[in-house]
Amino acid sequence: MERKFATRIDLMQKLDDLGIKTSTVEHPEVFTVEAMEPYLKDVPGAITKNLFLRDKKKHFWLLSAVHDRDIKLNEVAKKVGAPGGLRLGDEAIMFDTLGVKQGCVTPFALINDSKCDVTFIIDDDLINGKYDIINFHPLSNAATTGISPGDFKKFVESTGHTCLPVKFD
């Protein structure tokens, strides 16, 4: 039997049920941060990039960071204790785990990880008060949704996950 994943509509309903206010900007499908930037020039807050990763033991990780952050996966792996380092995860496994395809990976996809197979790593700057709003795709790369850091943490906790903050130099 094929697994049913939450849709963008389901996500927005969950956010509403949690009393979380968001703001969404529609734009053409984008597959890179660079392609998305022209559509978000007037959007307040932090634009993010998101990576689905795995370690040598085949544990899965999702990393969200400020879009222009230089990410060195070996350094992140040491900070979070990922055995054997971190590398990009397979798209098919990402879909089976989070219900999203390449270009759509987002921490909002944690709504689909009911077994909590994915450890969520977040750039500390996204949740430490530096930004009033943080922006992610809402399970679709044809839109970007802004949310306050406090409400974002509330959403993540509602999925059974926790935020594992990492400070970047």
Side-chain angles (χ1 to χ4, degrees):
M1 185 162 92
E2 191 173 314
R3 183 171 163 201
K4 182 178 178 333
F5 292 108
T7 65
R8 179 177 167 188
I9 293 168
D10 299 327
L11 169 66
M12 293 304 174
Q13 183 62 57
K14 179 170 182 88
L15 293 169
D16 191 54
D17 291 348
L18 291 167
I20 293 174
K21 302 250 185 278
T22 61
S23 175
T24 300
V25 174
E26 306 292 332
H27 52 69
E29 277 189 321
V30 292
F31 292 91
T32 64
V33 170
E34 293 77 21
M36 182 176 58
E37 284 182 300
Y39 304 107
L40 302 181
K41 62 182 181 286
D42 297 323
V43 171
I47 306 302
T48 58
K49 63 181 169 187
N50 303 281
L51 301 171
F52 180 71
L53 307 166
R54 71 172 181 85
D55 63 28
K56 193 171 186 174
K57 301 267 188 197
K58 298 200 171 63
H59 297 121
F60 303 113
W61 306 76
L62 177 62
L63 169 65
S64 294
V66 176
H67 80 282
D68 57 359
R69 178 81 66 209
D70 183 27
I71 304 292
K72 293 181 174 68
L73 292 180
N74 287 338
E75 289 177 18
V76 174
K78 288 176 188 165
K79 290 179 181 185
V80 300
L86 291 168
R87 58 199 52 77
L88 292 177
D90 182 78
E91 184 178 359
I93 294 170
M94 179 175 69
F95 181 78
D96 290 344
T97 308
L98 295 175
V100 292
K101 296 188 178 191
Q102 186 176 7
C104 300
V105 69
T106 167
F108 286 136
L110 295 172
I111 193 174
N112 288 318
D113 182 27
S114 58
K115 294 187 215 167
C116 294
D117 289 330
V118 177
T119 301
F120 179 51
I121 308 165
I122 189 161
D123 182 335
D124 187 62
D125 280 350
L126 293 173
I127 57 171
N128 70 9
K130 182 173 182 176
Y131 299 98
D132 293 334
I133 300 289
I134 48 181
N135 294 280
F136 303 100
H137 288 314
L139 305 180
S140 162
N141 60 349
T144 299
T145 297
I147 186 171
S148 75
D151 280 345
F152 176 71
K153 288 189 268 187
K154 182 178 177 180
F155 165 77
V156 170
E157 290 166 5
S158 79
T159 69
H161 295 80
T162 58
C163 294
L164 177 57
V166 170
K167 289 184 187 285
F168 292 91
D169 301 327

